[in-house]
Amino acid sequence: MSSVLGRVFIVMLAAAGCIAVAPRLALAQVKPAVTTLGPDFPKSEIFIGNSFFYYNNGMPGQVSQLEKAADPDHKQDYRATMVTIGGSGFDWHDVESYFRPNAIGSYSFDENNNVVFNKLDKLFDVAVMMDCSQCPIHPRLKTVFTEFARKNSEIVRAHGARPVFFMSWAYADKPEMTAQLAEAYTTAGNENNALVIPAGLAFARAVGKQPELNLYAPDKRHPSLAGTYLAACTVFAALTGRSPVGNAYLAGIDAPTAQFLQTVAWETVQDYYQK
């Protein structure tokens, strides 16, 4: 079990007054079976999810900026596309339709806002999928999460891409969601041979280290700009296997804060994948 998850459980148990049972619960936490997408790391991604992805002008765009800044000689090769429905879960998305030819991803825009028509052998290398923020752990929806994690993974693979699950974060006022979501997503990842991106664990680590830094919008659910950037750095680290620490793309965040978030993302990914 990673040190991040261990601290999450300890905080939860201490708050509940039952720290004595921490070792038993900690051992129940599953570990990810898939820990890298290498050596054939992806360069094109479709992000399938909800408003957690599209806040702050879109997290996928920030992932792409991080990738291009890390590999400027091949920046034209990186491409991120976002398909989102507000409030959506896995079962709201017609994933099959997202891979139809000459549609999503068939053209994009370069840094000078020129239209680029993409001639693609396949649309995307990976599909990064996120369920609704409560669905994986909701009593009436978690079976739907399990069912569509499998169905959508099969669809993605049938189109030559690899499925990836995005572990979302706890609400600001419900920190107990962190460990619950981590368990649900890691289990689904293992059942579907899919990489899981531990964004929720990165949020918990950042809050534990620097609680005065606000990662949330006023609704305590959606991300602030810092939260979106932290998530993007975590995605970058998980998908590419590279550290985001020192990356030149800062998303308009001051340099010390950006470096802190980059470091948290890298530490979290290393811990979760037990590198």
Side-chain angles (χ1 to χ4, degrees), residues 20-265:
V21 298
R24 179 177 61 83
L25 290 181
L27 290 174
Q29 178 65 44
V30 294
K31 299 175 182 179
V34 180
T35 61
T36 182
L37 293 178
D40 185 21
F41 292 102
K43 288 186 171 64
S44 60
E45 311 101 10
I46 181 171
F47 288 79
I48 302 170
N50 49 55
S51 55
F52 276 28
F53 280 170
Y54 69 63
Y55 253 57
N56 301 303
N57 204 31
M59 186 200 68
Q62 294 198 24
V63 173
S64 186
Q65 291 291 339
L66 288 163
E67 292 172 329
K68 292 175 181 179
D71 189 13
D73 291 339
H74 303 95
K75 62 183 180 180
Q76 71 280 357
D77 297 335
Y78 293 92
R79 180 170 51 87
T81 300
M82 175 174 60
V83 181
T84 59
I85 305 171
S88 67
F90 277 170
D91 55 325
W92 288 27
H93 286 275
D94 181 3
V95 175
E96 178 68 39
S97 73
Y98 299 161
F99 285 86
R100 67 193 189 279
N102 301 315
I104 294 173
S106 61
Y107 57 85
S108 54
F109 298 86
D110 66 15
E111 59 189 9
N112 296 314
N113 207 32
N114 297 310
V115 178
V116 177
F117 293 93
N118 299 311
K119 296 180 180 179
L120 306 169
D121 294 329
K122 61 179 178 179
L123 285 176
F124 306 104
D125 295 325
V126 297
V128 180
M129 299 177 284
M130 175 194 165
D131 206 353
C132 85
S133 55
Q134 294 188 51
C135 290
I137 58 176
H138 191 281
R140 296 181 62 181
L141 294 172
K142 59 186 180 181
T143 57
V144 178
F145 165 74
T146 300
E147 176 187 358
F148 279 84
R150 176 184 56 80
K151 287 183 177 180
N152 292 345
S153 293
E154 290 173 353
I155 292 170
V156 168
R157 284 199 170 93
H159 290 279
R162 289 176 284 181
V164 174
F165 296 143
F166 179 91
M167 180 201 300
S168 56
W169 49 83
Y171 298 164
D173 55 352
K174 293 185 179 296
E176 67 274 10
M177 290 175 63
T178 298
Q180 296 167 359
L181 288 166
E183 183 87 5
Y185 272 104
T186 306
T187 298
N190 290 351
E191 290 175 348
N192 293 282
N193 193 33
L195 187 79
V196 176
I197 299 170
L201 299 180
F203 265 60
R205 183 189 285 264
V207 170
K209 285 191 168 189
Q210 197 168 312
E212 68 277 11
L213 177 60
N214 183 22
L215 301 179
Y216 294 89
D219 65 3
K220 300 181 181 180
R221 299 184 179 190
H222 290 91
S224 66
L225 178 59
T228 293
Y229 185 71
L230 173 58
C233 287
T234 308
V235 173
F236 169 84
L239 293 186
T240 69
R242 298 185 181 190
S243 172
V245 179
N247 193 289
Y249 176 70
L250 306 183
I253 297 172
D254 65 272
T257 300
Q259 184 172 21
F260 168 74
L261 296 170
Q262 292 172 349
T263 302
V264 167

